[in-house]
Amino acid sequence: GAVVSQHPSRVICKSGTSVKIECRSLDFQATTMFWYRQFPKQSLMLMATSNEGSKATYEQGVEKDKFLINHASLTLSTLTVTSAHPEDSSFYICSVVGGGNQPQHFGDGTRLSIL
Amino acid sequence: QKEVEQNSGPLSVPEGAIASLNCTYSDRGSQSFFWYRQYSGKSPELIMFIYSNGDKEDGRFTAQLNKASQYVSLLIRDSQPSDSATYLCAVEISGGYQKVTFGTGTKLQVIP
């Protein structure tokens, strides 16, 4: 069964809109979740590490004020793309990891299209 | 910059054959290695993980790791058309608090 639930699966909205994406860990408590972005025909690029109860850690070049991450509980992390523009259109995927050197399990992804 | 390299392909194999996918990495401190399969338009799904040198088998899949040579491979036996996908190699970033670096993926096409 699914380990991670990500919602919504697809969003189409106008430029300037803010979009919130939810990622839920279903099988275990996740102190750490990851947010990735994938452009067409490219690999996954890590955007940020979401840490329960503390601030997210962003990768170099990712604007923390544009991509707001909240990890308020051990099973839920949210990514909000603020004032989205067409260049933010991409496939956003979250992952959860159980701990130690365990593999990451991915949500189904959210395809974001900004008109 | 920690790198993970894969041949982008496409790698075409006939149905029933063995598909061999390779990956090299630069971070000598990496201890954990993962293979994911990604169908077009979908998110990655875990195929296998390996931590120790040697082979690890799971059904039709075998992962091989050689830390001295810094490569990891995935063999798919009795390839099926449903195996056609992009295969992503992911390597743990040493000291990276569970973060991994993904390769660009190898596209596999299994010809019926």
Side-chain angles (χ1 to χ4, degrees):
Chain A
V3 177
V4 185
S5 172
Q6 185 173 343
H7 176 82
S9 59
R10 184 172 181 99
V11 179
I12 301 173
C13 58
K14 294 180 179 179
S15 184
T17 305
S18 292
V19 177
K20 179 185 282 189
I21 303 170
E22 291 188 349
C23 180
R24 292 183 183 275
S25 176
L26 302 179
D27 278 10
F28 47 80
Q29 296 179 329
T31 56
T32 301
M33 296 185 186
F34 298 100
W35 287 96
Y36 293 86
R37 180 167 54 182
Q38 187 177 35
F39 291 106
K41 300 190 185 303
Q42 294 187 24
S43 192
L44 280 75
M45 295 301 296
L46 179 65
M47 299 175 65
T49 304
S50 175
N51 305 298
E52 187 269 335
S54 64
K55 292 182 179 180
T57 305
Y58 291 82
E59 296 300 303
Q60 191 172 7
V62 178
E63 300 176 58
K64 62 180 181 181
D65 294 330
K66 181 164 186 67
F67 300 99
L68 302 178
I69 292 173
N70 184 281
H71 193 151
S73 77
L74 287 170
T75 59
L76 174 64
S77 175
T78 61
L79 168 68
T80 301
V81 184
T82 62
S83 187
H85 293 285
E87 59 266 28
D88 298 321
S89 298
S90 188
F91 191 42
Y92 292 85
I93 316 171
C94 71
S95 73
V96 304
V97 57
N101 58 0
Q102 293 300 304
Q104 295 182 27
H105 296 273
F106 289 89
D108 287 340
T110 298
R111 192 160 301 281
L112 177 62
S113 299
I114 307 299
L115 305 178
Chain B
Q1 181 73 20
K2 307 298 184 184
E3 295 184 347
V4 176
E5 296 194 2
Q6 297 180 255
N7 187 318
S8 61
L11 172 66
S12 295
V13 300
E15 183 175 356
I18 296 175
S20 178
L21 305 163
N22 300 310
C23 170
T24 58
Y25 61 94
S26 63
D27 186 351
R28 284 198 167 275
S30 297
Q31 299 294 321
S32 306
F33 308 86
F34 311 92
W35 282 100
Y36 289 86
R37 176 173 64 196
Q38 186 175 25
Y39 291 112
S40 181
K42 303 295 185 181
S43 69
E45 57 179 315
L46 181 69
I47 297 295
M48 291 197 68
F49 56 91
I50 187 167
Y51 305 138
S52 303
N53 278 328
D55 294 0
K56 179 181 178 182
E57 186 174 319
D58 183 1
R60 296 188 296 113
F61 299 95
T62 298
Q64 299 175 317
L65 174 61
N66 184 321
K67 291 183 182 179
S69 299
Q70 295 176 246
Y71 84 78
V72 57
S73 62
L74 179 69
L75 300 178
I76 306 174
R77 289 180 299 281
D78 188 24
S79 295
Q80 300 298 308
S82 59
D83 294 326
S84 298
T86 296
Y87 288 80
L88 301 170
C89 172
V91 177
E92 174 220 10
I93 299 172
S94 57
Y97 302 100
Q98 301 176 317
K99 294 197 295 186
V100 300
T101 299
F102 282 89
T104 53
T106 298
K107 185 171 184 178
L108 174 66
Q109 295 177 340
V110 181
I111 312 301

